[in-house]
Amino acid sequence: MAQKVKFVETVLRDANQSLIATRLPYTRFEPMLETIDKAGYYAAECWGGATFDVCLRYLNEDPWERLRKIREKMPNTKLQMLLRGQNVLGYSHYPDDFVKLFVKKAVENGIDIIRIFDALNDVNNIKVAMEATVNAGALASGAISYTTSPVHTHAKYVEMVKELKRMGAATICIKDMAGIMGPQEAYDLVSAIKDAVDLPVDLHTHSTTGMAFMTYLKAVEAGCDIIDTAISPFSGGTSQPATETLAYALRQLGYEVDLDDNQTKKIADYFKGIRDEYIADGTLMPKALTTDTQCLAYQVPGGMLSNLLSQLKQMNALDKFDEALLETPRVRADMGYPPLVTPTSQMVGVQAVRNVLDGKRYQTVSKEIKAYCRGEYGITPAPIDPEIQAKILGDEKPLEGRYADTLTPIVDATRKKLEGIAKSDEDVLSYIAFPNLAEKFFHDRKIREENEVTYTITEC
Ligand code: CO
């Protein structure tokens, strides 16, 4: 029997986030939801990541309502979200009661699969979210944040995967956020994971460096079960490789693919128009769609390079770019080789720039790096350079155990605080995640609803 390859469509979340900074309002993709539902995808990634933040910050949308509407239009396809472990959808750790309620409500509102990762690959930061996912009856996808370094061996990844399985993972995801995984690495790592655990493996990569098609092909040869792709008009560059292209090539090679080409063509035709509009108004920049091999040379993700550039530009120090670029991997090594993903990529990049501009390393240190050295982000892949850690912490001792254990529960207190303002636990969760944005959203919603009432009365 032919080996089956399943597809996760990312146009609603990762492709949307990587190409147009998550700016697609619900109303723009709504007309395609029923078609996506009929196309035969294993899952549609549609929530989490930056969608929640952007819904409240820029689109004046209730992220929970968006999820419920997607669910209603897509009864047959699994809905998937991305969750940053103990960070949930934010940038620092939350108390466990928030993590648990958030996961429970995400599932109640329609999520089937929660992909959970931690920026440091510290499983202690994945555990609570995973347990909550299993308790809510959804599928937990335990994710590895993929990176390369002297301490990131396949043996270590396999060890992590076994732990994820013990914790209740239904699938394993290899999350290559920077698109730096080459075809041979994919083949070897997927083989090693498949040998170690009997769970479906999902590979997630980006086209940034141009390797993604080859990487997926070799991963599939090694037995990879699920791949993440984006419908062609929203594919390539910093997004995923194209859904239809992979379906075509994999079928030609004898693999079984469940996708319905008539439906994917309809989806592609529709999103072509949307893509062209975003190109015309400047939201989708041509640079995002090109191939950028710099990250292969510097082992620095593409997004970080542009952040470095803009930071130096602001400080009138563009001539220091080469120096900052060389300093980045050194800071990363000092910090114990964290994978460069939100939020560690920002922290390492900012510190590298500081070191170069000060002319003296770790003269000034951000409060995030200080918290990192205290252990507030979890256990680092390798130990932090002890001398540097001591210099940054001074008399302070690094934390023992899990940072979230030191945090006070937050849900009940926030429920009380928002009495008369929050209409549901979902509102309370939005507020804990993004207090200022949620407050503004509640205010705007109230005005909208008052206007609606007036309108109904006039109608009578
Ligand atoms: Co991604």
Side-chain angles (χ1 to χ4, degrees):
M1 216 174 66
Q3 180 188 335
K4 185 183 272 197
V5 182
K6 297 178 182 175
F7 283 64
V8 175
E9 176 59 55
T10 67
V11 67
L12 303 177
R13 208 287 299 174
D14 205 354
N16 171 16
Q17 183 171 330
S18 301
L19 294 181
I20 56 168
T22 333
R23 291 303 196 277
L24 259 185
Y26 172 78
T27 47
R28 296 312 312 274
F29 60 74
E30 184 191 30
M32 268 306 105
L33 291 177
E34 278 151 340
T35 315
I36 297 175
D37 195 38
K38 280 189 275 190
Y41 289 106
Y42 163 70
E45 193 191 47
C46 63
W47 212 63
T51 58
F52 202 94
D53 184 339
V54 173
C55 271
L56 291 169
R57 196 183 297 269
Y58 299 109
L59 303 174
N60 207 2
E61 266 186 54
D62 182 348
W64 300 98
E65 195 187 324
R66 170 186 281 213
L67 174 57
R68 288 191 294 271
K69 286 183 189 162
I70 297 175
R71 176 80 287 172
E72 212 181 286
K73 296 257 177 194
M74 297 183 60
N76 304 305
T77 306
K78 290 191 180 72
L79 301 184
Q80 180 173 304
M81 75 169 289
L82 180 67
L83 192 96
R84 298 175 189 143
Q86 203 72 26
N87 288 4
V88 185
L89 301 176
Y91 308 96
S92 59
H93 286 192
Y94 289 101
D96 290 341
D97 66 334
F98 172 69
V99 178
K100 288 178 193 166
L101 186 64
F102 195 97
V103 165
K104 183 169 171 262
K105 286 291 167 185
V107 175
E108 272 178 27
N109 281 274
I111 287 293
D112 300 292
I113 306 172
I114 306 188
R115 176 178 293 169
I116 309 163
F117 77 98
D118 175 61
L120 296 178
N121 285 325
D122 179 353
V123 288
N124 294 314
N125 298 333
I126 291 179
K127 195 163 55 189
V128 173
M130 188 164 299
E131 224 172 70
T133 305
V134 175
N135 289 341
L139 296 172
S141 183
I144 297 170
S145 301
Y146 178 78
T147 188
T148 54
S149 88
V151 296
H152 285 88
T153 58
H154 285 184
K156 258 216 156 148
Y157 282 130
V158 165
E159 213 178 284
M160 180 180 176
V161 161
K162 286 183 179 163
E163 188 55 38
L164 291 171
K165 188 186 172 187
R166 270 193 291 274
M167 283 164 31
T171 61
I172 297 297
C173 170
I174 307 167
K175 182 175 157 58
D176 174 25
M177 50 276 170
I180 53 167
M181 178 184 270
Q184 189 63 47
E185 290 164 284
Y187 188 87
D188 294 343
L189 184 55
V190 171
S191 303
I193 293 174
K194 285 300 236 182
D195 282 346
V197 293
D198 54 352
L199 290 179
V201 172
D202 178 334
L203 179 57
H204 174 90
T205 188
H206 287 253
S207 299
T208 326
T209 64
M211 285 195 293
F213 284 117
M214 298 179 278
T215 303
Y216 276 153
L217 179 57
K218 292 303 284 184
V220 165
E221 281 179 17
C224 180
D225 304 86
I226 307 159
I227 54 176
D228 291 10
T229 62
I231 199 75
S232 52
F234 267 73
S235 73
T238 52
S239 174
Q240 274 72 48
T243 305
E244 308 95 294
T245 313
L246 272 152
Y248 185 94
L250 288 173
R251 276 191 193 122
Q252 189 175 81
L253 288 162
Y255 296 99
E256 196 185 323
V257 172
D258 276 345
L259 290 175
D260 178 337
D261 296 342
N262 292 322
Q263 306 300 340
T264 52
K265 182 173 183 311
K266 279 186 212 162
I267 303 165
D269 287 346
Y270 179 82
F271 278 102
K272 251 177 228 162
I274 297 205
R275 176 201 56 194
D276 292 347
E277 271 173 47
Y278 282 107
I279 289 178
D281 75 7
T283 310
L284 175 49
M285 287 181 278
K287 207 178 65 178
L289 292 169
T290 57
T291 303
D292 183 346
T293 54
Q294 281 191 99
C295 5
L296 296 178
Y298 302 116
Q299 297 288 311
V300 171
M304 261 186 91
L305 288 175
S306 45
N307 279 346
L308 276 185
L309 270 174
S310 69
Q311 266 186 71
L312 290 167
K313 207 169 160 187
Q314 269 173 26
M315 295 168 183
N316 267 327
L318 271 179
D319 56 314
K320 302 273 191 207
F321 182 66
D322 289 341
E323 239 179 293
L325 201 55
L326 289 174
E327 177 64 4
T328 303
R330 290 180 63 201
V331 172
R332 182 177 175 237
D334 296 339
M335 292 298 120
Y337 296 105
L340 298 175
V341 60
T342 307
T344 46
S345 50
Q346 290 84 341
M347 285 154 55
V348 168
V350 168
Q351 191 59 49
V353 168
R354 277 280 36 115
N355 288 356
V356 167
L357 291 185
D358 290 348
K360 204 169 168 208
R361 310 185 76 225
Y362 303 101
Q363 174 94 334
T364 33
V365 170
S366 68
K367 72 173 194 309
E368 286 82 10
I369 284 280
K370 199 162 181 193
Y372 178 96
C373 287
R374 232 183 277 127
E376 290 184 17
Y377 289 85
I379 301 165
T380 53
I384 300 171
D385 181 299
E387 256 173 60
I388 292 166
Q389 187 177 25
K391 183 179 172 188
I392 292 173
L393 289 184
D395 296 336
E396 274 186 80
K397 287 259 163 303
L399 205 83
E400 276 172 41
R402 204 175 66 113
Y403 177 58
D405 289 337
T406 69
L407 301 173
T408 329
I410 194 170
V411 173
D412 278 339
T414 314
R415 274 191 192 120
K416 277 202 193 86
K417 185 178 164 183
L418 294 182
E419 248 168 61
I421 300 168
K423 294 182 166 184
S424 59
D425 269 354
E426 283 80 349
D427 277 356
V428 173
L429 293 166
S430 299
Y431 181 87
I432 296 169
F434 300 102
N436 299 332
L437 299 180
E439 209 159 46
K440 185 179 174 300
F441 175 79
F442 299 152
H443 174 79
D444 292 352
R445 180 176 63 187
K446 198 163 165 245
I447 290 176
R448 239 184 359 248
E449 282 167 358
E450 279 165 5
N451 287 341
E452 272 165 30
V453 172
T454 327
Y455 180 71
T456 323
I457 294 167
T458 348
E459 278 264 292
C460 295

